[in-house]
Amino acid sequence: MPAHTFDLAVVGGGIIGLAHALAAVRVGKRVAVIERDVRANGASIRNFGFITVTGQERGDSWRLARRTRDLWAEVAPKAGIAVAHRGLMLTARSPEAMAVIDAFLKTEMGEGCRLMTPDTFRKDAHGLGGSDLQGALFSPHELRVESRDAIPALAAWLKEARGVTFFTETVVFDAMPPRLHTSRGVIEAGAVVVCPGDDFVTLYPEHIAGYGLRKCRLSMLKLASPGFRLPSALMSDLSLTRYRGYAALPEARALEAKLRAEQPAHYDNGVHLIVVQGADDGLVVGDSHHYDHLPGPFAPAEAEHAILDEYARSLGRAAPPVLERWTGIYAVADDRTYLIDAPQENVRLVIVTSGTGASTGFGIAERVINDLFDLEGRVA
Ligand SMILES: Cc1cc2nc3c(=O)[nH]c(=O)nc-3n(C[C@H](O)[C@H](O)[C@H](O)COP(=O)(O)OP(=O)(O)OC[C@H]3O[C@@H](n4cnc5c(N)ncnc54)[C@H](O)[C@@H]3O)c2cc1C
C-alpha cells in the first residue's frame, strides 16, 4: 500500500476541514488534511470563536448549531482548548427591540433563554448598559473559544491524539479520488471532502460558480481589558435585525425601520455588535459586513467608528483602547446558509455561506461523513 493512502483526504485546514477530519476519525477512517498555508490563516482564526445557537436561522441551522455546540463542549477539553465564555446577553434599547426578544422567547428557539430586566443585567454585567437600556435576552447555549489558539490546538490534537496526517504548505490542484494532485506530489485517498472557504477558483470552480457566491469582508478589533470579566458574550439591538433567528420574526421589521433611520452608517457598513473576552481579559469586538466578488483589503474607518459607537451606546461606556485591527473574508450566498455538493461520487464540496462555520461546522461535517461513508444512524 502506498505510504499516502487514506480513506479520506480533506482539502482545507480551516474549521470546516478540521470538522470533517474529526467526524471521519470518530468513525474509524484514516484521514489526511491538506492545507495551502503553514497553518490555517483564513476566516477560521479571524472570527470571534463565538459558537452561537441563539439567533441562528430557525430549523436546520439552529439544530446544527446545537449539535456543533455539544461537540465543541466534548472536544475542547480533550484538545486543551479553553472555553472563555458560556452564554450570551443581548441588550435592547427600545420597545421595538424588546418586542423582537419577546417574540423570540415564544418560539421553540427560546427554550432555556430568559428575559433580563435592566437591573438584573446591570447586576450581572458590572453595571454596564446605557441609560436607555430596556432589558436583555439571556441565552445559556453559547460557548466561546479563542480561535487564533483553538484552531491550531484542534489541528494538533487531531494529529497527535487521533492520528490525522497533515500536509501543510501544500496546494491541491485537482481532487479526483483515488488521486489528488498537489504541489508536493500525489496523495491517494478513497474519498475527498473539499472545504475551500472563500477560494472559489482552484477546485471544482464550475460547481461553485453555479451557486452565485459572493464574498464578505468583516472588520474586527481587539480592545484592551475593560478591567473586569464579562459573564458572557454580549450583543445588542442591531444583531436582532442581522441574525436570521431574530430577523425573520415579523416584529423585526419595525425595529429595522427604526434603526435604519437612527443609525444609517451602521447599516451602510453592515455593522452590528459582538463583544467577547479572552483569557488575557482583552475584548474581541466587531463587526462590519462589506459584500463584493473581490472585497479587497481596504476597510473603511467609518465601519470601525460605527462598531465603537454601538459599543458605547449599548454598554454605556466608551470602548477601551484599540490594540489590534484585522479583517476576515467568508463566502456568502443569498439563498442558503451552507452548501454540500457532490461533484463526483466520492467527493463532497462543503462551504458555509452565512458566516456561521464555527457554530454549525461540526454538525454539517457529521452529516457529510455519514452520507459519504453510508453510515446513517451509526454513533461514534
Ligand atoms: C471576522 C469573522 C468573524 C466571524 N465570526 C464567527 C463567529 O463568531 N462564529 C461563527 O460561527 N462563525 C464566524 N465567522 C464565520 C466562520 O469563521 C467561517 O464560516 C468559517 O471559518 C469557515 O471555515 P472554512 O474552513 O470553510 O474556511 P477557512 O477558514 O477560510 O479555511 C479554508 C482553508 O482552505 C484552504 N484551501 C483552500 N483551497 C485549497 C487548496 N486547493 N489546497 C489547499 N488548501 C486550500 C485555505 O488555505 C484555508 O486555510 C466569522 C468569520 C469572519 C471572517
Side-chain angles (χ1 to χ4, degrees), residues 137-158:
L137 170 69
F138 174 75
S139 161
H141 301 305
E142 284 61 38
L143 299 179
R144 195 261 156 170
V145 298
E146 189 76 68
S147 292
R148 65 177 81 184
D149 303 325
I151 297 300
L154 181 58
W157 176 73
L158 285 169

Side-chain angles (χ1 to χ4, degrees), residues 23 53 56 107 131 157 176 184 187 208 232 257 301 316 342:
V53 173
Q56 295 293 350
T107 71
S131 55
W157 176 73
M176 298 190 184
R184 293 182 190 270
I187 294 171
I208 295 175
S232 71

Side-chain angles (χ1 to χ4, degrees), residues 32 55 64 156 278 348:
L64 284 168
R348 297 293 180 274

